Amino acid sequence: MSQAVFVFYSTESRRSEEFVRQTLAVCESVDGFKFGSPGETVDPADISLDQNSTVELSWQGGAGDVSITFTYKPRPESFLEVFTRREMLLPEGGEGEYEGLTGAVMELVRALAIEHNPYYVMSPDLEKIMGTDPADVTPMKGEFELERIPWFGVYSSSLIEDLGGREHVLETPAWRVEELDTGSILIIRTRTPWADLGRDHPVNRHLLGAVS
Amino acid sequence: MCVHRNDISDSELRDIDTQGALRSITGFDRDAQDAATDLIDGLGARGISTVNDADALTDTVDGLTASEVEDLLVSYDSYRRADFDGARSPRAIQDDLDQLADPDDGDESVDGIARMIRERTGSGDAGNFRGVDGAVQVAAEKIDEGVDPNDLHLERDIDIDKRDVVRETGLSSQDLFKETDIDVDVDGGSSTEIKKTDFEPFADKGFANRARAKELGDLWQKLNTVAAYKDSGSITVTVSRASDEPFSEGVLRELRSSNNNIETGTLNVEDVSSLRNLGDQVESEFEIDIIFRRFDRGE
């Protein structure tokens, strides 16, 4: 069972009790999830979290679970990670808004991005598809330069400038482009997760220029 | 990416049913039409025959709908483009599906083909289709080896009573799933789990290591669950690494960590450094053989 992950980056450490409590409050606010594994009841007040600690969320609408891992670190490491099973992210129907677990996971990630206003959020394809290296979308070390646009991304103001400015980014020909209240821009390349990550995809060409 | 345009020669055109393909494509929805024309553009005559044969599956496979065939074609196209390590061509996959759909000229199709296509296509996620590639290859090999097609099951859903298993073994509830599926199952015989992954992180990054460690935790739970269900025989796991090759340090660090909620139950994680070690610990609890089979690129 392969994993899907949404990774949150910041330029500074986020370690604080308040950060944890804010995150748990966001998790509680998204319809359909409850804390703990299926059949288990967990009071968020009882959750204490150290480095790399994980909170489990179970989906009330059927099979499905999500885990939130607190890592707190600044870029190039991450401060928060949202894991779910890859096969759980199955958009229903041919088009339209996400529903079910896929919709709830997306709402959770979006709400966390609004709450924490990260530098960057992305969901890399962890499978080894030829020609689409996850390192292209992952801050590895030092200065971060996007080599490819990930399937899912949230871009803060400094990244928006790197990608050609707010107006240009908002015109990206992606399935979903949304300016969040924080000023960051959320972009989902294709409705189907990781459907087309090629360099010649219109989203890639629009934001990163022509294929060399 | 190795996606090439493939022109069709005059001699090939004489041998293939281009009119049949045209009729099929005309009846497809827009996504399947795009996928079918891409397949033909990329594979030439083999693309045309693949489209024709996929369309014909609704005549031979119980419960398979035209809409699911359209999803299959979309998956063929995205899978071909993804070009995973070890991935076979849509034509090779369709050859196996044709055999499983009509195993002995007139026999009923192998159980579970429609279920597998329903569950593993349609999302457009090419990664999800690797299980189909591996499962149909293994199932076709089983028939070639003499297994009765009536004893073969694809994507077989199973459930166990975890309390019974915990009571009768040294395992805990965290070592087991309540429900899972077996990719290829033979009644009274072997089971096969298709992974086609190498469990290696793309880089020594925390989330990448954690993802692979979670997958190993899932594999441990799945093998125990299938072993408890089968009780005897063998479980073959198809992977893209040698079974005795040590996992990377970062993955082992996450697997052995006690505070990341990776479900390892009673697995002695200190003794696990390779897939073989993990299989040995399943074998120590059940009368079952765990076999790791390596898929190599192009095989």
Side-chain angles (χ1 to χ4, degrees), chain B residues 211-243:
Chain B
R212 294 308 187 209
K214 282 173 182 283
E215 288 165 12
L216 286 172
D218 283 347
L219 180 62
W220 163 249
Q221 289 176 291
K222 182 153 194 177
L223 290 178
N224 282 319
T225 305
V226 176
Y229 176 81
K230 298 288 287 188
D231 208 29
S232 64
S234 66
I235 305 172
T236 299
V237 187
T238 65
V239 289
S240 300
R241 69 183 291 132
S243 63

PDB file of all heavy atoms in Angstrom, chain B residues 211-243:
ATOM      1  N   ALA B 211       7.478   7.322   4.753  1.00  0.00           N
ATOM      2  CA  ALA B 211       6.530   6.698   3.812  1.00  0.00           C
ATOM      3  C   ALA B 211       6.915   5.241   3.561  1.00  0.00           C
ATOM      4  O   ALA B 211       6.055   4.346   3.564  1.00  0.00           O
ATOM      5  CB  ALA B 211       6.503   7.477   2.501  1.00  0.00           C
ATOM      6  N   ARG B 212       8.197   4.988   3.339  1.00  0.00           N
ATOM      7  CA  ARG B 212       8.615   3.606   3.071  1.00  0.00           C
ATOM      8  C   ARG B 212       8.460   2.727   4.310  1.00  0.00           C
ATOM      9  O   ARG B 212       8.075   1.551   4.211  1.00  0.00           O
ATOM     10  CB  ARG B 212      10.077   3.583   2.594  1.00  0.00           C
ATOM     11  CG  ARG B 212      10.289   4.259   1.245  1.00  0.00           C
ATOM     12  CD  ARG B 212       9.354   3.741   0.190  1.00  0.00           C
ATOM     13  NE  ARG B 212       9.636   4.245  -1.143  1.00  0.00           N
ATOM     14  CZ  ARG B 212       8.732   4.400  -2.093  1.00  0.00           C
ATOM     15  NH1 ARG B 212       7.456   4.114  -1.859  1.00  0.00           N
ATOM     16  NH2 ARG B 212       9.066   4.849  -3.276  1.00  0.00           N
ATOM     17  N   ALA B 213       8.765   3.282   5.487  1.00  0.00           N
ATOM     18  CA  ALA B 213       8.603   2.499   6.717  1.00  0.00           C
ATOM     19  C   ALA B 213       7.133   2.161   6.940  1.00  0.00           C
ATOM     20  O   ALA B 213       6.788   1.058   7.384  1.00  0.00           O
ATOM     21  CB  ALA B 213       9.166   3.265   7.907  1.00  0.00           C
ATOM     22  N   LYS B 214       6.230   3.106   6.633  1.00  0.00           N
ATOM     23  CA  LYS B 214       4.790   2.829   6.745  1.00  0.00           C
ATOM     24  C   LYS B 214       4.401   1.693   5.802  1.00  0.00           C
ATOM     25  O   LYS B 214       3.588   0.836   6.147  1.00  0.00           O
ATOM     26  CB  LYS B 214       3.975   4.086   6.403  1.00  0.00           C
ATOM     27  CG  LYS B 214       3.911   5.132   7.515  1.00  0.00           C
ATOM     28  CD  LYS B 214       3.231   6.394   7.004  1.00  0.00           C
ATOM     29  CE  LYS B 214       3.191   7.480   8.070  1.00  0.00           C
ATOM     30  NZ  LYS B 214       2.145   7.228   9.077  1.00  0.00           N
ATOM     31  N   GLU B 215       4.979   1.696   4.601  1.00  0.00           N
ATOM     32  CA  GLU B 215       4.657   0.638   3.644  1.00  0.00           C
ATOM     33  C   GLU B 215       5.141  -0.727   4.152  1.00  0.00           C
ATOM     34  O   GLU B 215       4.482  -1.743   3.938  1.00  0.00           O
ATOM     35  CB  GLU B 215       5.272   0.956   2.287  1.00  0.00           C
ATOM     36  CG  GLU B 215       4.563   2.114   1.583  1.00  0.00           C
ATOM     37  CD  GLU B 215       5.339   2.699   0.422  1.00  0.00           C
ATOM     38  OE1 GLU B 215       6.337   2.085  -0.009  1.00  0.00           O
ATOM     39  OE2 GLU B 215       4.945   3.782  -0.040  1.00  0.00           O
ATOM     40  N   LEU B 216       6.279  -0.726   4.826  1.00  0.00           N
ATOM     41  CA  LEU B 216       6.758  -1.993   5.403  1.00  0.00           C
ATOM     42  C   LEU B 216       5.850  -2.440   6.543  1.00  0.00           C
ATOM     43  O   LEU B 216       5.580  -3.641   6.705  1.00  0.00           O
ATOM     44  CB  LEU B 216       8.201  -1.830   5.901  1.00  0.00           C
ATOM     45  CG  LEU B 216       9.263  -1.772   4.803  1.00  0.00           C
ATOM     46  CD1 LEU B 216      10.626  -1.426   5.387  1.00  0.00           C
ATOM     47  CD2 LEU B 216       9.342  -3.105   4.063  1.00  0.00           C
ATOM     48  N   GLY B 217       5.374  -1.482   7.347  1.00  0.00           N
ATOM     49  CA  GLY B 217       4.424  -1.823   8.402  1.00  0.00           C
ATOM     50  C   GLY B 217       3.150  -2.417   7.814  1.00  0.00           C
ATOM     51  O   GLY B 217       2.605  -3.410   8.323  1.00  0.00           O
ATOM     52  N   ASP B 218       2.677  -1.822   6.710  1.00  0.00           N
ATOM     53  CA  ASP B 218       1.490  -2.347   6.026  1.00  0.00           C
ATOM     54  C   ASP B 218       1.744  -3.767   5.499  1.00  0.00           C
ATOM     55  O   ASP B 218       0.874  -4.633   5.574  1.00  0.00           O
ATOM     56  CB  ASP B 218       1.111  -1.445   4.843  1.00  0.00           C
ATOM     57  CG  ASP B 218       0.397  -0.175   5.288  1.00  0.00           C
ATOM     58  OD1 ASP B 218      -0.020  -0.101   6.462  1.00  0.00           O
ATOM     59  OD2 ASP B 218       0.263   0.744   4.465  1.00  0.00           O
ATOM     60  N   LEU B 219       2.949  -3.971   4.938  1.00  0.00           N
ATOM     61  CA  LEU B 219       3.272  -5.303   4.397  1.00  0.00           C
ATOM     62  C   LEU B 219       3.275  -6.346   5.509  1.00  0.00           C
ATOM     63  O   LEU B 219       2.759  -7.454   5.336  1.00  0.00           O
ATOM     64  CB  LEU B 219       4.629  -5.264   3.685  1.00  0.00           C
ATOM     65  CG  LEU B 219       5.087  -6.594   3.071  1.00  0.00           C
ATOM     66  CD1 LEU B 219       4.111  -7.062   1.987  1.00  0.00           C
ATOM     67  CD2 LEU B 219       6.503  -6.471   2.495  1.00  0.00           C
ATOM     68  N   TRP B 220       3.852  -5.982   6.658  1.00  0.00           N
ATOM     69  CA  TRP B 220       3.874  -6.896   7.818  1.00  0.00           C
ATOM     70  C   TRP B 220       2.445  -7.273   8.223  1.00  0.00           C
ATOM     71  O   TRP B 220       2.125  -8.451   8.402  1.00  0.00           O
ATOM     72  CB  TRP B 220       4.616  -6.205   8.964  1.00  0.00           C
ATOM     73  CG  TRP B 220       4.419  -6.783  10.333  1.00  0.00           C
ATOM     74  CD1 TRP B 220       3.752  -6.205  11.375  1.00  0.00           C
ATOM     75  CD2 TRP B 220       4.909  -8.052  10.821  1.00  0.00           C
ATOM     76  NE1 TRP B 220       3.791  -7.026  12.474  1.00  0.00           N
ATOM     77  CE2 TRP B 220       4.484  -8.157  12.166  1.00  0.00           C
ATOM     78  CE3 TRP B 220       5.634  -9.086  10.255  1.00  0.00           C
ATOM     79  CZ2 TRP B 220       4.793  -9.274  12.958  1.00  0.00           C
ATOM     80  CZ3 TRP B 220       5.930 -10.202  11.043  1.00  0.00           C
ATOM     81  CH2 TRP B 220       5.518 -10.291  12.376  1.00  0.00           C
ATOM     82  N   GLN B 221       1.566  -6.281   8.313  1.00  0.00           N
ATOM     83  CA  GLN B 221       0.177  -6.555   8.700  1.00  0.00           C
ATOM     84  C   GLN B 221      -0.532  -7.393   7.636  1.00  0.00           C
ATOM     85  O   GLN B 221      -1.284  -8.312   7.959  1.00  0.00           O
ATOM     86  CB  GLN B 221      -0.587  -5.241   8.907  1.00  0.00           C
ATOM     87  CG  GLN B 221      -0.152  -4.469  10.157  1.00  0.00           C
ATOM     88  CD  GLN B 221      -0.888  -3.138  10.246  1.00  0.00           C
ATOM     89  OE1 GLN B 221      -0.659  -2.236   9.454  1.00  0.00           O
ATOM     90  NE2 GLN B 221      -1.775  -3.017  11.213  1.00  0.00           N
ATOM     91  N   LYS B 222      -0.268  -7.075   6.383  1.00  0.00           N
ATOM     92  CA  LYS B 222      -0.967  -7.795   5.307  1.00  0.00           C
ATOM     93  C   LYS B 222      -0.523  -9.255   5.249  1.00  0.00           C
ATOM     94  O   LYS B 222      -1.361 -10.159   5.104  1.00  0.00           O
ATOM     95  CB  LYS B 222      -0.724  -7.105   3.966  1.00  0.00           C
ATOM     96  CG  LYS B 222      -1.460  -7.788   2.823  1.00  0.00           C
ATOM     97  CD  LYS B 222      -1.787  -6.850   1.708  1.00  0.00           C
ATOM     98  CE  LYS B 222      -2.795  -7.469   0.761  1.00  0.00           C
ATOM     99  NZ  LYS B 222      -3.207  -6.569  -0.304  1.00  0.00           N
ATOM    100  N   LEU B 223       0.776  -9.494   5.351  1.00  0.00           N
ATOM    101  CA  LEU B 223       1.270 -10.880   5.290  1.00  0.00           C
ATOM    102  C   LEU B 223       0.704 -11.701   6.448  1.00  0.00           C
ATOM    103  O   LEU B 223       0.310 -12.859   6.265  1.00  0.00           O
ATOM    104  CB  LEU B 223       2.799 -10.894   5.311  1.00  0.00           C
ATOM    105  CG  LEU B 223       3.485 -10.375   4.045  1.00  0.00           C
ATOM    106  CD1 LEU B 223       5.006 -10.392   4.208  1.00  0.00           C
ATOM    107  CD2 LEU B 223       3.089 -11.215   2.834  1.00  0.00           C
ATOM    108  N   ASN B 224       0.668 -11.116   7.645  1.00  0.00           N
ATOM    109  CA  ASN B 224       0.084 -11.838   8.783  1.00  0.00           C
ATOM    110  C   ASN B 224      -1.393 -12.130   8.551  1.00  0.00           C
ATOM    111  O   ASN B 224      -1.879 -13.225   8.871  1.00  0.00           O
ATOM    112  CB  ASN B 224       0.239 -11.008  10.068  1.00  0.00           C
ATOM    113  CG  ASN B 224       1.640 -11.089  10.634  1.00  0.00           C
ATOM    114  OD1 ASN B 224       2.259 -12.151  10.656  1.00  0.00           O
ATOM    115  ND2 ASN B 224       2.154  -9.960  11.077  1.00  0.00           N
ATOM    116  N   THR B 225      -2.112 -11.159   7.986  1.00  0.00           N
ATOM    117  CA  THR B 225      -3.550 -11.326   7.768  1.00  0.00           C
ATOM    118  C   THR B 225      -3.810 -12.426   6.740  1.00  0.00           C
ATOM    119  O   THR B 225      -4.664 -13.293   6.946  1.00  0.00           O
ATOM    120  CB  THR B 225      -4.172  -9.993   7.300  1.00  0.00           C
ATOM    121  OG1 THR B 225      -3.852  -8.974   8.252  1.00  0.00           O
ATOM    122  CG2 THR B 225      -5.687 -10.109   7.165  1.00  0.00           C
ATOM    123  N   VAL B 226      -3.064 -12.384   5.640  1.00  0.00           N
ATOM    124  CA  VAL B 226      -3.252 -13.413   4.603  1.00  0.00           C
ATOM    125  C   VAL B 226      -2.825 -14.779   5.136  1.00  0.00           C
ATOM    126  O   VAL B 226      -3.497 -15.789   4.898  1.00  0.00           O
ATOM    127  CB  VAL B 226      -2.465 -13.048   3.320  1.00  0.00           C
ATOM    128  CG1 VAL B 226      -2.574 -14.168   2.288  1.00  0.00           C
ATOM    129  CG2 VAL B 226      -2.980 -11.747   2.726  1.00  0.00           C
ATOM    130  N   ALA B 227      -1.734 -14.819   5.891  1.00  0.00           N
ATOM    131  CA  ALA B 227      -1.262 -16.097   6.456  1.00  0.00           C
ATOM    132  C   ALA B 227      -2.306 -16.667   7.406  1.00  0.00           C
ATOM    133  O   ALA B 227      -2.569 -17.876   7.416  1.00  0.00           O
ATOM    134  CB  ALA B 227       0.069 -15.892   7.171  1.00  0.00           C
ATOM    135  N   ALA B 228      -2.921 -15.803   8.210  1.00  0.00           N
ATOM    136  CA  ALA B 228      -3.956 -16.272   9.138  1.00  0.00           C
ATOM    137  C   ALA B 228      -5.166 -16.791   8.377  1.00  0.00           C
ATOM    138  O   ALA B 228      -5.800 -17.775   8.771  1.00  0.00           O
ATOM    139  CB  ALA B 228      -4.369 -15.134  10.072  1.00  0.00           C
ATOM    140  N   TYR B 229      -5.483 -16.164   7.263  1.00  0.00           N
ATOM    141  CA  TYR B 229      -6.632 -16.570   6.446  1.00  0.00           C
ATOM    142  C   TYR B 229      -6.349 -17.898   5.750  1.00  0.00           C
ATOM    143  O   TYR B 229      -7.201 -18.787   5.700  1.00  0.00           O
ATOM    144  CB  TYR B 229      -6.937 -15.478   5.427  1.00  0.00           C
ATOM    145  CG  TYR B 229      -8.038 -15.813   4.456  1.00  0.00           C
ATOM    146  CD1 TYR B 229      -9.368 -15.667   4.812  1.00  0.00           C
ATOM    147  CD2 TYR B 229      -7.732 -16.264   3.166  1.00  0.00           C
ATOM    148  CE1 TYR B 229     -10.388 -15.973   3.919  1.00  0.00           C
ATOM    149  CE2 TYR B 229      -8.736 -16.569   2.273  1.00  0.00           C
ATOM    150  CZ  TYR B 229     -10.060 -16.420   2.644  1.00  0.00           C
ATOM    151  OH  TYR B 229     -11.063 -16.726   1.741  1.00  0.00           O
ATOM    152  N   LYS B 230      -5.106 -18.027   5.193  1.00  0.00           N
ATOM    153  CA  LYS B 230      -4.783 -19.217   4.403  1.00  0.00           C
ATOM    154  C   LYS B 230      -4.422 -20.417   5.284  1.00  0.00           C
ATOM    155  O   LYS B 230      -4.708 -21.547   4.949  1.00  0.00           O
ATOM    156  CB  LYS B 230      -3.587 -18.924   3.481  1.00  0.00           C
ATOM    157  CG  LYS B 230      -3.827 -17.846   2.461  1.00  0.00           C
ATOM    158  CD  LYS B 230      -4.760 -18.289   1.358  1.00  0.00           C
ATOM    159  CE  LYS B 230      -4.060 -19.279   0.424  1.00  0.00           C
ATOM    160  NZ  LYS B 230      -4.898 -19.561  -0.762  1.00  0.00           N
ATOM    161  N   ASP B 231      -3.664 -20.133   6.331  1.00  0.00           N
ATOM    162  CA  ASP B 231      -3.274 -21.150   7.297  1.00  0.00           C
ATOM    163  C   ASP B 231      -2.168 -22.076   6.797  1.00  0.00           C
ATOM    164  O   ASP B 231      -1.443 -22.680   7.581  1.00  0.00           O
ATOM    165  CB  ASP B 231      -4.496 -21.987   7.718  1.00  0.00           C
ATOM    166  CG  ASP B 231      -4.348 -22.543   9.117  1.00  0.00           C
ATOM    167  OD1 ASP B 231      -3.654 -21.886   9.910  1.00  0.00           O
ATOM    168  OD2 ASP B 231      -4.895 -23.628   9.395  1.00  0.00           O
ATOM    169  N   SER B 232      -2.042 -22.248   5.480  1.00  0.00           N
ATOM    170  CA  SER B 232      -0.979 -23.093   4.939  1.00  0.00           C
ATOM    171  C   SER B 232      -0.703 -22.675   3.506  1.00  0.00           C
ATOM    172  O   SER B 232      -1.377 -21.805   2.973  1.00  0.00           O
ATOM    173  CB  SER B 232      -1.385 -24.578   4.988  1.00  0.00           C
ATOM    174  OG  SER B 232      -2.500 -24.783   4.156  1.00  0.00           O
ATOM    175  N   GLY B 233       0.288 -23.314   2.882  1.00  0.00           N
ATOM    176  CA  GLY B 233       0.631 -22.975   1.505  1.00  0.00           C
ATOM    177  C   GLY B 233       1.747 -21.954   1.461  1.00  0.00           C
ATOM    178  O   GLY B 233       2.681 -21.986   2.265  1.00  0.00           O
ATOM    179  N   SER B 234       1.638 -21.025   0.526  1.00  0.00           N
ATOM    180  CA  SER B 234       2.707 -20.037   0.394  1.00  0.00           C
ATOM    181  C   SER B 234       2.131 -18.695  -0.011  1.00  0.00           C
ATOM    182  O   SER B 234       1.045 -18.604  -0.590  1.00  0.00           O
ATOM    183  CB  SER B 234       3.733 -20.499  -0.652  1.00  0.00           C
ATOM    184  OG  SER B 234       3.125 -20.518  -1.936  1.00  0.00           O
ATOM    185  N   ILE B 235       2.876 -17.642   0.338  1.00  0.00           N
ATOM    186  CA  ILE B 235       2.548 -16.292  -0.112  1.00  0.00           C
ATOM    187  C   ILE B 235       3.763 -15.775  -0.869  1.00  0.00           C
ATOM    188  O   ILE B 235       4.873 -15.746  -0.321  1.00  0.00           O
ATOM    189  CB  ILE B 235       2.248 -15.339   1.064  1.00  0.00           C
ATOM    190  CG1 ILE B 235       1.141 -15.896   1.953  1.00  0.00           C
ATOM    191  CG2 ILE B 235       1.870 -13.957   0.538  1.00  0.00           C
ATOM    192  CD1 ILE B 235       0.925 -15.094   3.238  1.00  0.00           C
ATOM    193  N   THR B 236       3.554 -15.429  -2.126  1.00  0.00           N
ATOM    194  CA  THR B 236       4.631 -14.840  -2.924  1.00  0.00           C
ATOM    195  C   THR B 236       4.430 -13.334  -2.978  1.00  0.00           C
ATOM    196  O   THR B 236       3.323 -12.863  -3.248  1.00  0.00           O
ATOM    197  CB  THR B 236       4.636 -15.418  -4.347  1.00  0.00           C
ATOM    198  OG1 THR B 236       4.857 -16.832  -4.271  1.00  0.00           O
ATOM    199  CG2 THR B 236       5.736 -14.787  -5.186  1.00  0.00           C
ATOM    200  N   VAL B 237       5.489 -12.597  -2.706  1.00  0.00           N
ATOM    201  CA  VAL B 237       5.428 -11.135  -2.769  1.00  0.00           C
ATOM    202  C   VAL B 237       6.339 -10.694  -3.906  1.00  0.00           C
ATOM    203  O   VAL B 237       7.536 -11.008  -3.900  1.00  0.00           O
ATOM    204  CB  VAL B 237       5.897 -10.488  -1.450  1.00  0.00           C
ATOM    205  CG1 VAL B 237       5.648  -8.980  -1.490  1.00  0.00           C
ATOM    206  CG2 VAL B 237       5.207 -11.117  -0.255  1.00  0.00           C
ATOM    207  N   THR B 238       5.780 -10.002  -4.884  1.00  0.00           N
ATOM    208  CA  THR B 238       6.605  -9.529  -5.998  1.00  0.00           C
ATOM    209  C   THR B 238       7.109  -8.117  -5.675  1.00  0.00           C
ATOM    210  O   THR B 238       6.326  -7.220  -5.383  1.00  0.00           O
ATOM    211  CB  THR B 238       5.795  -9.483  -7.301  1.00  0.00           C
ATOM    212  OG1 THR B 238       4.769  -8.520  -7.166  1.00  0.00           O
ATOM    213  CG2 THR B 238       5.191 -10.827  -7.615  1.00  0.00           C
ATOM    214  N   VAL B 239       8.389  -7.964  -5.710  1.00  0.00           N
ATOM    215  CA  VAL B 239       9.016  -6.689  -5.339  1.00  0.00           C
ATOM    216  C   VAL B 239      10.097  -6.334  -6.354  1.00  0.00           C
ATOM    217  O   VAL B 239      10.439  -7.138  -7.217  1.00  0.00           O
ATOM    218  CB  VAL B 239       9.645  -6.775  -3.929  1.00  0.00           C
ATOM    219  CG1 VAL B 239       8.565  -6.821  -2.865  1.00  0.00           C
ATOM    220  CG2 VAL B 239      10.561  -7.987  -3.815  1.00  0.00           C
ATOM    221  N   SER B 240      10.629  -5.130  -6.212  1.00  0.00           N
ATOM    222  CA  SER B 240      11.678  -4.689  -7.132  1.00  0.00           C
ATOM    223  C   SER B 240      13.011  -4.546  -6.408  1.00  0.00           C
ATOM    224  O   SER B 240      13.751  -3.598  -6.647  1.00  0.00           O
ATOM    225  CB  SER B 240      11.275  -3.349  -7.769  1.00  0.00           C
ATOM    226  OG  SER B 240      10.080  -3.482  -8.471  1.00  0.00           O
ATOM    227  N   ARG B 241      13.284  -5.460  -5.492  1.00  0.00           N
ATOM    228  CA  ARG B 241      14.582  -5.456  -4.829  1.00  0.00           C
ATOM    229  C   ARG B 241      14.897  -6.894  -4.408  1.00  0.00           C
ATOM    230  O   ARG B 241      13.987  -7.732  -4.303  1.00  0.00           O
ATOM    231  CB  ARG B 241      14.589  -4.547  -3.603  1.00  0.00           C
ATOM    232  CG  ARG B 241      13.744  -5.037  -2.441  1.00  0.00           C
ATOM    233  CD  ARG B 241      13.736  -4.068  -1.274  1.00  0.00           C
ATOM    234  NE  ARG B 241      15.007  -3.982  -0.589  1.00  0.00           N
ATOM    235  CZ  ARG B 241      15.603  -2.830  -0.278  1.00  0.00           C
ATOM    236  NH1 ARG B 241      15.038  -1.678  -0.580  1.00  0.00           N
ATOM    237  NH2 ARG B 241      16.748  -2.815   0.344  1.00  0.00           N
ATOM    238  N   ALA B 242      16.154  -7.157  -4.148  1.00  0.00           N
ATOM    239  CA  ALA B 242      16.537  -8.483  -3.666  1.00  0.00           C
ATOM    240  C   ALA B 242      16.045  -8.632  -2.233  1.00  0.00           C
ATOM    241  O   ALA B 242      16.092  -7.680  -1.444  1.00  0.00           O
ATOM    242  CB  ALA B 242      18.052  -8.646  -3.731  1.00  0.00           C
ATOM    243  N   SER B 243      15.576  -9.829  -1.901  1.00  0.00           N
ATOM    244  CA  SER B 243      14.960 -10.010  -0.586  1.00  0.00           C
ATOM    245  C   SER B 243      15.957  -9.850   0.554  1.00  0.00           C
ATOM    246  O   SER B 243      15.568  -9.530   1.675  1.00  0.00           O
ATOM    247  CB  SER B 243      14.292 -11.385  -0.509  1.00  0.00           C
ATOM    248  OG  SER B 243      15.254 -12.405  -0.641  1.00  0.00           O
TER     249      SER B 243
END
